[in-house]
Amino acid sequence: MNLPHSKSRYLLLFTLAFMLLGSMCLAQNRNERDRERINTLLSNAKTSLNRSNLSTSLNQAQAALDLAEKNEDVQKSWEAKNLIGEVYLTQNDFQKAIHIFLEMSMQAEKVNNYSVSANGYLSLANIYSHMGAFTKANETYAIAYDQFNKIDYELGMIEVKAAASLNHLTANNLKNALASYKTLLALAEKDNLAYFKLIAHDGLLEVYQKTKDNRKGIATGKAYLSLIETEGGSEQMAANAHNRMAALYLNTGENDKAIESLQQAESIGQTGQAGNKILAHTYELFSKAYDALGNKAESNRYRNQFNSLDRRLPAEASYHTDDLEEAETLARELEKTSRAIITEEQLAKEADEKNKREEILKDEIARLKSLEHEALVGNRELGHTALEAEYIHQDLMVAQHEFESTERQAEILRYKESLVRHQLELKVAEEEKLILQQQAEISEKRQQIYLIIGGAFLLIAIILGVEYVRIRKLNKLLKSQQDTIHQRNVELEISNSTIMEKNAKLHKAHEELKRTQANLIQAEKMSALGMLTAGIAHEVNNPISFVSNGLQILDENISETFDTLSTFEQIIQLNDIDEIKSNYNIHKSENQSVSVLKKDTADLLEDVKFGATRITEIVDGLRIFSRKDEKKFKKAQLSDIIESALLISKSKYKGRVQIIKEYGNNIPSIDCYPGQLNQIFINLIGNASDAIEGEGWIKIMLQNIDNKYVRAIVQDSGSGMTEDVKKKIFEPLYTTKESGKGTGLGLSITTDIIKTHRGHIDVRSKVGVGTAFILTLQVDLMKGKNQESDS
């Protein structure tokens, strides 16, 4: 055994293996570069097509196709052909467009690649529908559907159903369109495909509009708009849906609702998201709606806008033939022509390949005969080798006969491999002839081969043994893991039961918390009512004092007046003039004349009137505070509500806190529950008063914001709040007041009331400076809230 020779062979094997690995890596890198180049070309071609640069797009797509076919990349080849077909379709070159998709479909179908063939037939059907050959398009859609069905590709079948539905709708075959869109919607909802659900709703809405099935159309439109909002439909979809809803409302005579829908469509259209075509349709429907309402001025205004916009619209291209029969005939003739050309090209290609195979066979037969001749002219007979050569010759003849009878590419490749194998066998025969001359070397090589084979068998046995042991260990580990998983499942079931029990307890605790919260809110209301009662008692006491004191003095004055009159009456009866003057002077000195007495009496009456007025104001404030809110909003002035709150809270700030009022101009009335807003301002004024130690001021401002909102600001000169306190003040039960002076529910209730009014509350505060609460309330909520209450 020659060890150096053996080492050189091993080194040669390692070198060959390294070279093979290197060549594989280079081939892989080359394929990756080619794939990146194909993607770049396709991307550039799409960009050029969008920019209407059709010639550049066609050249780039063709270059991508050539490179993809060179690398045998079926997917990229299909993408490139599809893009080339789009360019031809944009150029109205229907013959070339049909040819490329038909060729792609026929070739893919021949090798049972139904994914590519189905997509090709789908593109073909779209071309026929674009031409106006709707019947031919339906036939082709059916073929594409069957192709996708063969590979059970459900998404492809749904895409075909969507295209076929649009074809029925474009052909104005409304009955088939309705059935097809309903089927599409069922398939899309089954697999929760949002895009196709939107397509189905859009198609159904258009069908119902054309058939004037108004009620179903309105219901479908509402569902469509809701789906657009939840699933992220386009602005164009939303504007188009609003326009169709408006047309349906016009059919039912609901002109106000039609105008509401059109306002939504106009709002979208003016942002530039929906396109001029949809905006022009909106203006046209506006004109019709105002015509129905008898508002000629608005109708003419929108008609002028429609005419002005319509003149700026680009001319809409149409590829449909006016005569549908002519379109059907044209489509079928174009397909027939393309099919004949493709068949002829395939036959020519197969004939060319057959000729090439025959030439190869002839060359190989000639070579075999030459080898056989060389073997026979030698000094020694080849014996078994010559017999093998004869067998090879016979095999080649049989192969030639089989090559002539077959027409499939796969069989051709197998026979080519057979030829290569026979060539190798002839080379082996030549090597055997040389080996006969070097018997000793052959014997040594045989021994090396036996050793290598034995070593290989031994190595294989070791590998199999190691794998067997590893697999047994893996099986044991897998069984252990399965047991662990089973145990985890049992523990998980127990845990789920525990969680369910805890959830039940939490639910019960939540109900208890809700009841407790309701009780706390009621307690806050009772506390507020107690404060209110104390304030009223304090405020009513003063005017009652006025009335009581005034009445007492008034009673005395009236008594004196009557006494004087009695005296005068007695004197008059006695006709004693001097005595009358004397008594008059006496009474004048005591009462400072009747005129003074009259003035005092008038002043007392004014005090009584003032006290009565104050009592009326306090009662009005109490009425506003204690009034039960109705189910509907009412228009009310915030200034009136604030004045009522100030009157009720007067006992908290009177004599030490200055009230500054800055009510802006043109403050509109707002939709609200006056009693609830009154409670908010009582809470805010009370908190502001409590925050001021000693003397200070509270400023109340009202601002009009675009006649859409009213902003109320309650600012004080109190101690202010830290950031930590400011974060917690709206939490239920949180209070900075001493025990017994506050429940911590006032601002929490205020927040709930603001949410009920769909408003916003904000707080700004600085320690040592003061605090400001900012309330922003909407002006017009009457309509939306009443509708909610009615529902």
Side-chain angles (χ1 to χ4, degrees):
M1 181 175 178
N2 193 347
L3 291 177
H5 185 66
S6 175
K7 289 181 179 180
S8 64
R9 280 185 171 275
Y10 291 144
L11 181 61
L12 179 61
L13 289 173
F14 281 122
T15 302
L16 290 173
F18 181 75
M19 291 175 65
L20 179 61
L21 181 61
S23 63
M24 290 173 64
C25 292
L26 289 173
Q28 184 177 1
N29 291 333
R30 184 171 61 253
N31 289 338
E32 290 179 357
R33 289 196 301 272
D34 288 344
R35 192 172 183 86
E36 291 178 359
R37 175 62 178 162
I38 292 169
N39 290 332
T40 302
L41 287 169
L42 290 175
S43 177
N44 293 337
K46 290 176 182 177
T47 303
S48 300
L49 179 59
N50 293 332
R51 295 175 179 174
S52 299
N53 193 349
L54 303 181
S55 177
T56 303
S57 178
L58 186 62
N59 291 334
Q60 291 168 337
Q62 187 62 51
L65 176 61
D66 295 339
L67 192 57
E69 289 182 342
K70 177 183 176 183
N71 287 274
E72 297 181 353
D73 192 333
V74 177
Q75 178 63 29
K76 294 301 176 183
S77 296
W78 179 83
E79 291 181 16
K81 288 180 179 179
N82 193 59
L83 192 55
I84 292 170
E86 288 185 22
V87 175
Y88 288 147
L89 187 59
T90 306
Q91 294 174 335
N92 288 345
D93 193 342
F94 296 120
Q95 180 67 75
K96 289 184 179 179
I98 291 172
H99 184 87
I100 191 169
F101 287 120
L102 184 61
E103 181 181 30
M104 179 174 61
S105 301
M106 291 176 64
Q107 289 178 353
E109 194 173 9
K110 189 173 181 180
V111 295
N112 297 332
N113 190 347
Y114 295 116
S115 176
V116 174
S117 63
N119 280 290
Y121 282 122
L122 176 58
S123 298
L124 268 178
N126 291 334
I127 293 172
Y128 296 146
S129 179
H130 201 67
M131 293 172 62
F134 303 115
T135 304
K136 180 63 179 173
N138 285 331
E139 295 173 0
T140 313
Y141 282 130
I143 296 173
Y145 189 90
D146 291 339
Q147 299 269 320
F148 279 127
N149 192 29
K150 287 181 180 179
I151 57 175
D152 196 23
Y153 186 45
E154 192 168 354
L155 184 59
M157 291 187 281
I158 293 175
E159 187 174 357
V160 171
K161 181 60 68 175
S165 301
L166 179 60
N167 182 63
H168 289 308
L169 186 58
T170 307
N172 208 28
N173 190 345
L174 301 180
K175 183 178 179 181
N176 288 342
L178 180 62
S180 186
Y181 275 120
K182 285 183 178 179
T183 303
L184 174 63
L185 180 59
L187 293 172
E189 287 179 343
K190 175 185 174 184
D191 294 330
N192 196 22
L193 301 174
Y195 173 76
F196 289 104
K197 284 194 285 187
L198 290 169
I199 293 297
H201 277 89
D202 185 70
L204 286 172
L205 182 58
E206 186 172 353
V207 171
Y208 287 134
Q209 182 190 357
K210 289 186 175 181
T211 57
K212 294 187 177 180
D213 194 344
N214 301 313
R215 290 305 169 192
K216 288 185 179 178
I218 290 171
T220 302
K222 291 179 179 178
Y224 185 25
L225 289 171
S226 176
L227 191 65
I228 290 172
E229 185 177 357
T230 56
E231 299 293 350
S234 67
E235 296 286 347
Q236 186 173 2
M237 285 181 174
N240 195 36
H242 282 299
N243 278 342
R244 296 193 187 282
M245 289 283 286
L248 291 167
Y249 282 132
L250 286 175
N251 291 340
T252 60
E254 298 174 270
N255 300 317
D256 292 338
K257 291 184 178 180
I259 290 175
E260 289 180 10
S261 294
L262 291 173
Q263 287 172 347
Q264 296 289 336
E266 183 184 25
S267 176
I268 297 170
Q270 288 177 346
T271 63
Q273 300 295 321
N276 285 342
K277 183 176 179 181
I278 291 179
L279 188 59
H281 188 208
T282 303
Y283 290 150
E284 183 180 18
L285 290 172
F286 258 129
S287 179
K288 291 180 180 179
Y290 282 114
D291 274 339
L293 290 172
N295 191 338
K296 296 297 182 183
E298 287 295 310
S299 175
N300 292 333
R301 182 170 73 87
Y302 280 109
R303 188 169 297 281
N304 291 335
Q305 287 185 344
F306 165 74
N307 293 332
S308 175
L309 185 62
D310 191 46
R311 284 196 296 273
R312 298 199 303 270
L313 289 174
E316 185 177 354
S318 176
Y319 304 109
H320 294 281
T321 312
D322 293 336
D323 189 352
L324 297 181
E325 279 188 27
E326 184 179 346
E328 292 288 344
T329 304
L330 177 62
R332 295 180 189 278
E333 287 179 355
L334 291 177
E335 181 177 325
K336 184 178 179 181
T337 302
S338 294
R339 194 177 291 275
I341 293 172
I342 293 168
T343 303
E344 185 177 352
E345 289 176 350
Q346 287 181 347
L347 290 174
K349 185 177 180 182
E350 290 175 359
D352 184 55
E353 290 177 351
K354 182 178 179 182
N355 291 332
K356 289 180 180 179
R357 291 197 303 271
E358 289 178 351
E359 291 295 328
I360 292 171
L361 285 172
K362 288 179 181 179
D363 291 343
E364 295 300 328
I365 291 171
R367 288 185 60 195
L368 287 173
K369 287 182 178 180
S370 175
L371 289 172
E372 184 180 5
H373 177 72
E374 290 177 0
L376 292 174
V377 297
N379 292 328
R380 68 174 69 179
E381 295 280 341
L382 288 179
H384 185 65
T385 304
L387 184 60
E388 287 181 350
E390 179 64 24
Y391 288 154
I392 292 170
H393 177 69
Q394 292 178 1
D395 290 340
L396 287 173
M397 294 300 292
V398 172
Q400 179 183 5
H401 177 71
E402 289 177 352
F403 273 125
E404 290 175 353
S405 64
T406 184
E407 293 182 357
R408 299 184 61 85
Q409 185 67 28
E411 293 175 349
I412 295 171
L413 294 175
R414 286 200 300 271
Y415 288 125
K416 283 184 179 179
E417 292 175 358
S418 178
L419 286 174
V420 173
R421 187 173 65 252
H422 290 317
Q423 289 177 357
L424 292 174
E425 289 177 354
L426 286 174
K427 289 181 181 180
V428 171
E430 292 178 359
E431 289 179 358
E432 286 180 354
K433 182 177 179 180
L434 294 174
I435 289 171
L436 291 173
Q437 298 174 359
Q438 300 174 355
Q439 189 67 39
E441 186 177 352
I442 292 173
S443 176
E444 183 181 353
K445 289 182 179 180
R446 284 178 180 174
Q447 290 178 1
Q448 293 177 359
I449 291 170
Y450 291 152
L451 288 174
I452 292 171
I453 293 173
F457 276 114
L458 180 61
L459 180 61
I460 292 170
I462 293 172
I463 291 172
L464 290 175
V466 172
E467 285 297 314
Y468 176 75
V469 173
R470 188 176 69 86
I471 289 171
R472 284 182 59 87
K473 289 182 178 179
L474 287 175
N475 287 336
K476 290 181 179 179
L477 179 61
L478 180 61
K479 188 176 183 305
S480 175
Q481 290 176 346
Q482 288 176 345
D483 294 339
T484 303
I485 291 171
H486 178 72
Q487 183 64 28
R488 292 289 186 274
N489 288 335
V490 173
E491 293 175 358
L492 184 61
E493 289 178 359
I494 297 172
S495 176
N496 286 338
S497 300
T498 305
I499 290 172
M500 289 177 67
E501 292 176 359
K502 289 182 178 180
N503 285 339
K505 293 179 180 179
L506 286 174
H507 179 72
K508 184 176 179 181
H510 178 67
E511 293 298 327
E512 290 291 335
L513 182 61
K514 287 173 65 178
R515 286 194 291 271
T516 303
Q517 185 179 12
N519 292 335
L520 287 172
I521 292 172
Q522 185 64 27
E524 174 65 17
K525 290 182 178 179
M526 294 303 293
S527 174
L529 187 60
M531 293 170 61
L532 171 65
T533 305
I536 290 173
H538 177 77
E539 291 299 324
V540 172
N541 186 52
N542 288 335
I544 288 176
S545 297
F546 287 135
V547 174
S548 299
N549 295 333
L551 288 175
Q552 183 177 358
I553 298 172
L554 183 63
D555 184 47
E556 292 176 359
N557 289 341
I558 290 172
S559 297
E560 290 179 3
T561 302
F562 278 114
D563 291 341
T564 303
L565 290 175
S566 297
T567 303
F568 271 103
E569 184 179 0
Q570 292 175 2
I571 293 171
I572 289 170
Q573 289 176 355
L574 295 173
N575 294 321
D576 189 347
I577 301 302
D578 292 332
E579 188 175 352
I580 291 173
K581 290 181 179 179
S582 176
N583 282 310
Y584 174 76
N585 291 329
I586 292 171
H587 284 288
K588 182 178 179 180
S589 62
E590 292 178 355
N591 298 295
Q592 298 179 0
S593 81
V594 175
S595 60
V596 174
L597 184 63
K598 183 178 179 180
K599 183 179 181 302
D600 290 342
T601 303
D603 292 339
L604 290 172
L605 288 174
E606 287 297 324
D607 288 341
V608 172
K609 290 177 182 179
F610 175 75
T613 302
R614 288 285 289 133
I615 292 173
T616 302
E617 290 176 353
I618 293 169
V619 170
D620 287 341
L622 175 62
R623 178 179 55 80
I624 293 174
F625 176 79
S626 61
R627 177 173 50 202
K628 294 183 177 178
D629 291 326
E630 299 178 4
K631 293 184 178 179
K632 297 182 180 179
F633 279 142
K634 287 186 175 180
K635 285 288 186 183
Q637 281 285 350
L638 268 183
S639 58
D640 296 338
I641 295 172
I642 293 172
E643 290 296 330
S644 173
L646 287 170
L647 182 62
I648 293 172
S649 305
K650 193 171 183 178
S651 61
K652 296 184 71 94
Y653 64 81
K654 184 178 180 181
R656 66 182 185 89
V657 177
Q658 179 187 2
I659 303 298
I660 303 171
K661 305 174 187 176
E662 294 182 2
Y663 299 162
N665 296 327
N666 301 321
I667 303 297
S669 299
I670 67 171
D671 294 333
C672 65
Y673 297 135
Q676 290 186 4
L677 293 187
N678 188 274
Q679 184 176 355
I680 287 177
F681 287 106
I682 289 174
N683 289 338
L684 296 181
I685 294 168
N687 288 343
S689 300
D690 292 339
I692 298 173
E693 296 181 1
E695 295 183 352
W697 52 265
I698 297 174
K699 182 185 290 185
I700 303 174
M701 294 174 280
L702 291 179
Q703 300 171 354
N704 179 5
I705 304 175
D706 300 331
N707 288 324
K708 293 182 179 179
Y709 302 93
V710 173
R711 179 172 293 158
I713 303 174
V714 180
Q715 185 178 358
D716 63 63
S717 61
S719 58
M721 295 181 287
T722 65
E723 288 298 322
D724 291 337
V725 172
K726 194 166 68 173
K727 292 178 182 178
K728 299 177 181 179
I729 57 173
F730 294 109
E731 296 178 2
L733 304 179
Y734 179 79
T735 180
T736 58
K737 298 179 182 179
E738 298 178 2
S739 178
K741 291 188 178 181
T743 62
L745 290 174
L747 289 177
S748 176
I749 294 172
T750 297
T751 304
D752 292 339
I753 294 173
I754 291 297
K755 288 180 180 178
T756 302
H757 286 75
R758 303 180 192 171
H760 179 72
I761 185 169
D762 193 13
V763 59
R764 306 290 171 83
S765 184
K766 188 173 182 180
V767 176
V769 177
T771 302
F773 283 89
I774 303 168
L775 280 70
T776 304
L777 299 169
Q778 298 186 37
V779 172
D780 188 8
L781 277 178
M782 180 76 75
K783 188 172 184 180
K785 190 65 182 178
N786 288 345
Q787 288 175 348
E788 290 179 5
S789 300
D790 294 340
S791 62

